[in-house]
Amino acid sequence: MASIHILRRRILAAQNVSKTTRAMQMIAASKLKKAQAATLATRPYVEKLSTVTKRVATRAPQEFTHPYLTPKNANGKKLLVLFAPDKGLCGGLITNLLREFLRYTREEKGLRVVTVGKKVESFVITLRSEVIASFVFGTTTPSFNMVLPITKMINDEYLLGNVASVHILATHFTSIFSQKPIMTTLLPISLPLPQEEQEKSEGGQYLFEPNVTELLSPLLNHYLEMVVYQYLLESFVSEQAARMVAMQNATSNAKDVIEDLRLEYNKTRQARITNEILDISGADALRGVQNE
Amino acid sequence: MTLHLEIISPEKVVFSENVDEVIVPTTTGQITVLPQHVALFTQITPGELIIKRAGKEDYFAVTGGFLEVAKNKTTILADFAVHSHEIDAVKAEEAKKRAEKLLAEKISQEDVAVARSELVKSLLELKVAKRRKHHLTTP
């Protein structure tokens, strides 16, 4: 049995841990509330924007081309943008992301990577993938301003023809208890062809005012920015949800540990008292024998 | 015969109902979309958006975005849109003053852009709010 001092120290340590995890849980919960509202609010906009963009792009006249739709370069190189948290202690979130990343890199050679989030940066570097930029994710709900340097980076790489396609690896927020890493192709924008083609013949005329070229470029730019922003939000809300759940579990585990330790501590303490009483009464008995 | 109108901004789905008519400010001037309108795609400029349904008019302030008309379904992807009922004239006035003050001081280019868009937004809100008042007082 461990000595009583050691037990007492362990109980204090476990109590401190549970205090910290509880505080982290509370912080994550409050951040989650805000981030979740923001994410769910933007979702319909981005979804609609995506369908509209794709529909409009398919209906654009044949002679219209945009680098976002048809890649300039066909060297097969890929750019991967990896969204991950800045900080750990969020359960399996980062591990899942990195597993997906590893699975992907095994198949791909000559991958260029842009990381957003400190936690994955060093890991990706040790894998000797080409990291061309790394951004800080931040610990507050991402603002739209964060998107611009990222899209600039993507545009620089893609429009100059350094890469043939751009992909995003981020976490998709399904619910507080479930977040999955997902991989999507950002550029070139994939257009749904077969059924849309039918609609085109049905719908007939499609007007662009003032003209396609002037309209589609801002639309495609806006689409790119909004999609990146949506992924940022999704990743952030996933991080907070994962952290909240992880810290909730940690807190309840710490409580269990404290309970066990306390039981042992009480037993040890009681055993020591009993022993002392035995000693005293034993000594008294002995003295009694001597006195007689 | 009505057409379905949806106004979606990054903050929320602002409006989603069947309407008789919608008047939208676009880069090529104000256009009116009626049911059975031909498929159209265009860009919206900051301005006032008017919805007519069952003899009633609703006013919205929009600060730009895209308009798509397809198969009697009109979608407006607005950067920002607000119903005239929800405009707080006092707040808009304050925002206008703040933006003007910021613009008067020499600040970085980025801040200027932000302040300018703030100003456009608040001016627009005020305009729509005043117009609505006018509309209510003159039956």
Side-chain angles (χ1 to χ4, degrees):
Chain A
M1 228 181 233
S3 100
I4 205 152
H5 285 291
I6 292 173
L7 278 174
R8 188 177 293 159
R9 215 160 58 208
R10 275 195 201 158
I11 290 172
L12 281 176
Q15 270 168 346
N16 281 338
V17 167
S18 80
K19 263 184 216 158
T20 316
T21 53
R22 161 146 297 211
M24 286 182 76
Q25 180 198 331
M26 303 280 209
I27 293 167
S30 80
K31 281 186 184 170
L32 173 72
K33 215 173 166 190
K34 227 173 110 191
Q36 197 175 357
T39 311
L40 298 183
T42 353
R43 246 187 217 169
Y45 181 80
V46 175
E47 272 164 23
K48 202 78 201 180
L49 180 66
S50 150
T51 50
V52 167
T53 307
K54 284 175 179 170
R55 189 158 56 212
V56 168
T58 38
R59 286 177 188 208
Q62 288 287 308
E63 62 273 14
F64 177 81
T65 53
H66 191 280
Y68 282 174
L69 302 174
T70 41
K72 245 185 189 172
N73 189 321
N75 64 4
K77 271 207 174 186
K78 287 179 175 175
L79 177 72
L80 181 71
V81 187
L82 183 57
F83 290 128
D86 261 0
K87 296 207 161 69
L89 290 181
C90 45
L93 188 95
I94 295 175
T95 325
N96 289 342
L97 264 176
L98 290 178
R99 192 180 297 139
E100 192 68 20
F101 177 73
L102 273 179
R103 206 170 58 80
Y104 188 69
T105 41
R106 222 173 283 141
E107 297 158 15
E108 289 296 329
K109 290 281 165 264
L111 191 72
R112 290 162 79 86
V113 187
V114 171
T115 58
V116 183
K118 282 188 223 154
K119 203 71 193 172
V120 286
E121 187 189 325
S122 53
F123 181 85
V124 175
I125 290 171
T126 53
L127 277 178
R128 294 192 187 152
S129 292
E130 206 176 339
V131 179
I132 52 170
S134 58
F135 296 96
V136 176
F137 200 99
T139 47
T140 47
T141 310
S143 74
F144 190 72
N145 292 343
M146 258 183 80
V147 172
L148 302 173
I150 300 172
T151 48
K152 189 180 176 295
M153 199 74 222
I154 293 173
N155 274 329
D156 284 354
E157 282 293 306
Y158 184 76
L159 296 180
L160 288 177
N162 286 345
V163 291
S165 59
V166 182
H167 304 263
I168 285 186
L169 178 56
T171 320
H172 181 75
F173 176 79
T174 36
S175 76
I176 290 175
F177 300 99
S178 150
Q179 304 92 29
K180 263 194 203 130
I182 48 158
M183 180 75 135
T184 38
T185 305
L186 186 64
L187 293 173
I189 298 167
S190 59
L191 303 172
L193 274 175
Q195 323 110 271
E196 283 292 320
E197 213 55 56
Q198 274 180 353
E199 267 185 48
K200 191 176 175 179
S201 51
E202 276 173 34
Q205 204 184 359
Y206 201 87
L207 279 182
F208 290 93
E209 274 176 15
N211 61 55
V212 192
T213 333
E214 255 174 67
L215 272 175
L216 262 183
S217 297
L219 177 69
L220 291 174
N221 263 327
H222 185 59
Y223 167 79
L224 185 75
E225 282 168 11
M226 282 317 292
V227 170
V228 170
Y229 185 49
Q230 180 68 26
Y231 278 115
L232 267 176
L233 285 177
E234 296 266 349
S235 298
F236 183 75
V237 72
S238 301
E239 176 195 344
Q240 298 307 332
R243 178 162 301 129
M244 190 184 87
V245 173
M247 287 303 115
Q248 206 165 12
N249 289 341
T251 312
S252 82
N253 282 348
K255 288 262 149 67
D256 288 350
V257 169
I258 292 170
E259 209 169 284
D260 288 351
L261 284 173
R262 186 150 295 246
L263 193 68
E264 203 179 328
Y265 170 81
N266 287 346
K267 270 188 194 161
T268 318
R269 184 174 157 273
Q270 192 55 55
R272 207 167 89 175
I273 292 166
T274 318
N275 278 341
E276 264 170 29
I277 290 171
L278 275 177
D279 277 354
I280 293 164
S281 56
D284 275 352
L286 212 64
R287 206 176 293 138
V289 173
Q290 275 176 351
N291 282 350
E292 269 179 20
Chain B
M1 191 76 209
T2 55
L3 84 162
H4 187 77
L5 174 71
E6 228 178 349
I7 305 176
I8 307 176
S9 81
E11 279 105 42
K12 62 178 179 187
V13 177
V14 183
F15 186 90
S16 175
E17 260 170 73
N18 286 326
V19 301
D20 295 323
E21 185 181 337
V22 55
I23 302 167
V24 191
T26 72
T27 43
T28 46
Q30 218 176 32
I31 63 161
T32 304
V33 180
L34 291 167
Q36 301 293 343
H37 195 284
V38 69
L40 167 77
F41 186 76
T42 187
Q43 206 167 359
I44 299 173
T45 49
E48 187 184 22
L49 189 134
I50 306 163
I51 294 169
K52 294 186 181 169
R53 51 172 172 162
K56 274 199 303 180
E57 286 187 7
D58 282 292
Y59 299 94
F60 284 83
V62 288
T63 63
F66 296 97
L67 164 78
E68 200 219 17
V69 185
K71 281 186 173 175
N72 241 4
K73 261 194 171 177
T74 303
T75 310
I76 291 172
L77 292 164
D79 300 339
F80 171 82
V82 64
H83 194 279
S84 60
H85 289 303
E86 288 166 17
I87 296 174
D88 188 339
V90 182
K91 258 190 191 164
E93 188 73 48
E94 271 170 21
K96 182 187 135 200
K97 282 196 184 123
R98 206 167 44 233
E100 279 171 346
K101 202 179 139 207
L102 272 176
L103 280 174
E105 294 165 12
K106 287 281 170 241
I107 39 173
S108 76
Q109 226 175 351
E110 206 175 88
D111 291 340
V112 169
V114 171
R116 187 158 291 152
S117 71
E118 265 311 301
L119 184 61
V120 168
K121 196 169 120 183
S122 47
L123 281 174
L124 202 70
E125 285 192 344
L126 282 173
K127 190 182 143 200
V128 175
K130 273 175 196 153
R131 168 89 181 246
R132 189 183 142 248
K133 244 182 218 160
H134 182 72
H135 179 72
L136 287 180
T137 47
T138 52

